């Protein structure tokens, strides 16, 4: 047993835990097998409500039969425009049980985007969360002749709505109950008619370089991959995890909904994205998957809280985390941890580290998973020093989520791990592009055969667009996106993601975009962490009236300069950042500069803030 974690509880599971060769077949097998066990939990109006497998089965059956009553046919597409809520899962599984194709739409998408996605996918039924999302659908309904019905999850504020093509989820379920009585066996026949080679889901890419592309995933690919996940990062019916990332994103769809369906892991839905820090402490997940921005936010929260604490608490934490770092260094080097250091680590946990883990809600976590974007190796080491392994995975929409994963027994910060056993990976010797091949690779882009041909070559290798290198142990390291590598005017190749990750390790910086292609030196556009910078300003009596004035204040500029100086010390002179610019607008997922997973869009930011960039080079 390791001094940090018990490796026996992190071993991969190669046994098949659930039968079924399509997602609906697997789901209904899970309902029969698990019945009264809790699967889904959601906090609503301050109270947690649990849904057993049997109760979930009833909801899915009623919605699926309701769809059939509306004339929904095998192979038709239904789209879901909603936040991450239990009803999203019900609708998704119902569409698949009706032998249809399920497509997710980000709730932050504008009406024009909703129109394009429904048009491209040939959506006939659209599920929407509430009146806000319904307004978007109604605005573009006239341009969608194939759209027959809109189903609303939450009718609050819509009680007086009279529209023959709009009905509530409750009304659809009632319709489904009647249909099931007059058509016994219809649902079972539909599930059996669904075949492994059928198209199951569409996952649209972000569309940062053009129109979004609908990645097609077949049932056989989804089932194959979700079984493979258990050989990569095993979980079981005793585990609990959070569901809070967008379900229309491949990471939460596969790693959250379908993986927990397969393993029986309890899936907890948070109230909303803003309550994640509070909800994670209530849930205390045993498996916690998040994007780097969440891990950075949790870390910065601890650092800010520490500055406000007394000198005794600061001293206790300082000593404890240094002990944790020494232990983590030994474990990472696969070197033995001496008895004296083990004893010190136990004391460090009692003194401070266990309290920090409870504060973050990770005191029950067997492991943490990070993916979807690069993460600072220093952040991985910090969580390790607390005594919780952080395992980085890498994948993309087109690989059905994770294709590599760092094993708990051999963590290498800065690496995305070796190839998962369910797919092949190689690095092109000429371009250093990472290529992936396996049954988990998608079936192509909907309505775009030429884009599919550009992405998957004749030998079945998917060209990912990521540049990387592989070490002697088969561990991969992403150096950057092919399109993002900078070549300075002096001919120096720069991988901006490394600099950006180091900057985001600061509690005062949420995101950063390094500029410098064909330029004499590097500059950076920075998005500050509003909460932490405001706290700094208040503590330092820095006057500000709004977000823009906060970013312009000399004290905040000096604060960020200090963070930049800290990062620059790690790099050679030619790789150092000379100037920075702070975004003066407070951005949210609705803003075009951010992806739905809250990452700055490099090309769009460079274009939109061209004038500010040029000013840094005058």
């Amino acid at each position: 047993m390791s001094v940090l974690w018990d490796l026996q509880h992190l071993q991969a599971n190669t046994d098949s835990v659930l039968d079924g060769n399509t997602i609906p077949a697997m789901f209904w097998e899970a309902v029969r097998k698990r019945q009264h066990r809790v699967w889904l939990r959601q906090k609503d109006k301050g109270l947690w409500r649990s849904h057993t497998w049997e109760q979930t089965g009833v909801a899915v059956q009623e919605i699926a039969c309701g769809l059939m009553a509306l004339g929904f046919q095998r192979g038709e597409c239904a789209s879901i425009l909603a936040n991450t809520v239990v009803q999203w899962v019900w609708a998704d599984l119902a569409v698949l049980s009706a032998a249809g194709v399920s497509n997710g739409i980000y709730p932050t998408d504008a009406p024009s985007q909703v129109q394009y996605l429904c048009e491209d996918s040939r959506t006939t039924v659209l599920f929407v969360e509430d009146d806000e999302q319904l307004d978007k659908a109604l605005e573009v309904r006239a341009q969608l002749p194939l759209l027959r019905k809109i189903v609303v999850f939450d009718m609050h504020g819509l009680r007086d709505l009279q529209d023959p093509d709009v009905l509530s989820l409750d009304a659809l379920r009632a319709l489904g109950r009647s249909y099931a009585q007059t058509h016994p066996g219809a649902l079972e026949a539909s599930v059996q008619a669904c075949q492994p080679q059928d198209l199951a889901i569409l996952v649209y890419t972000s569309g940062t370089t053009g129109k979004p592309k609908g990645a097609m995933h077949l049932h056989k690919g989804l089932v194959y991959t979700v079984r493979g996940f258990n050989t990569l990062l095993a979980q079981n019916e005793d585990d609990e995890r959070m569901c809070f990332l967008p379900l229309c994103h491949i990471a939460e769809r596969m790693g959250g909904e379908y993986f927990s369906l397969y393993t029986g892991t309890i899936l907890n839905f948070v109230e909303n994205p803003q309550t994640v820090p509070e909800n994670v402490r209530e849930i205390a997940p045993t498996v916690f998957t998040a994007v780097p921005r969440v891990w950075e936010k949790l870390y910065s929260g601890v650092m800010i809280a520490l500055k406000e604490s007394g000198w005794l608490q600061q001293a206790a934490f300082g000593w404890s985390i240094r002990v944790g770092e020494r232990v983590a260094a030994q474990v990472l080097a696969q070197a033995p941890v001496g008895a004296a250091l083990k004893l010190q680590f136990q004391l460090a946990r009692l003194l401070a580290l266990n309290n920090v883990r409870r504060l973050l809600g990770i005191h029950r976590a067997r492991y943490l998973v990070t993916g979807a974007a690069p993460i600072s190796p220093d952040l991985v080491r910090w969580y390790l020093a607390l005594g919780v392994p952080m395992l980085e995975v890498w994948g993309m929409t087109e690989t059905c989520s994770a294709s590599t994963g760092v094993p708990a027994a051999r963590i290498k910060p800065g690496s995305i791990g070796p190839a998962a056993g369910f797919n092949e990976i190689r690095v092109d010797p000429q371009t250093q592009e990472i290529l992936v091949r396996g049954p988990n690779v998608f079936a192509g882009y909907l309505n775009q055969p030429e884009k599919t041909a550009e992405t998957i070559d004749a030998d079945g290798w998917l060209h990912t667009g990521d540049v990387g290198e592989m070490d002697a142990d088969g561990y991969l390291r992403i150096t950057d996106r092919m399109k993002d590598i900078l070549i300075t005017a002096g001919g120096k190749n720069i991988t901006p993601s490394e600099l950006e990750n180091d900057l985001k390790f600061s509690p005062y910086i949420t995101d950063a975009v390094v500029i410098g292609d064909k330029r004499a030196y590097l500059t950076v556009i920075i998005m500050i962490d509003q909460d932490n910078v405001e706290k700094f300003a208040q503590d330092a009596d820095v006057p500000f009236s709004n977000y823009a004035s906060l970013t312009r204040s000399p004290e905040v500029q000096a604060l960020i300069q200090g963070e930049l100086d800290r990062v620059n010390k790690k790099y050679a002179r030619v790789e150092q950042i000379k100037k920075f610019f702070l975004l003066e607008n407070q951005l949210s997922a609705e803003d075009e500069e951010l992806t739905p997973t809250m990452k700055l869009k490099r090309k769009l930011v460079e274009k939109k803030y061209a004038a500010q960039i040029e000013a840094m080079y005058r």
Side-chain angles (χ1 to χ4, degrees), residues 558-570:
L559 174 71
I560 300 303
Q561 182 63 59
E563 298 301 296
L564 189 59
D565 293 341
R566 172 186 59 80
V567 169
N568 276 338
K569 288 177 183 177
K570 299 174 62 176

Side-chain angles (χ1 to χ4, degrees), residues 486-497:
L486 308 177
I487 303 177
T488 66
K492 174 66 176 177
N493 280 31
I494 303 291
T495 56
S497 62

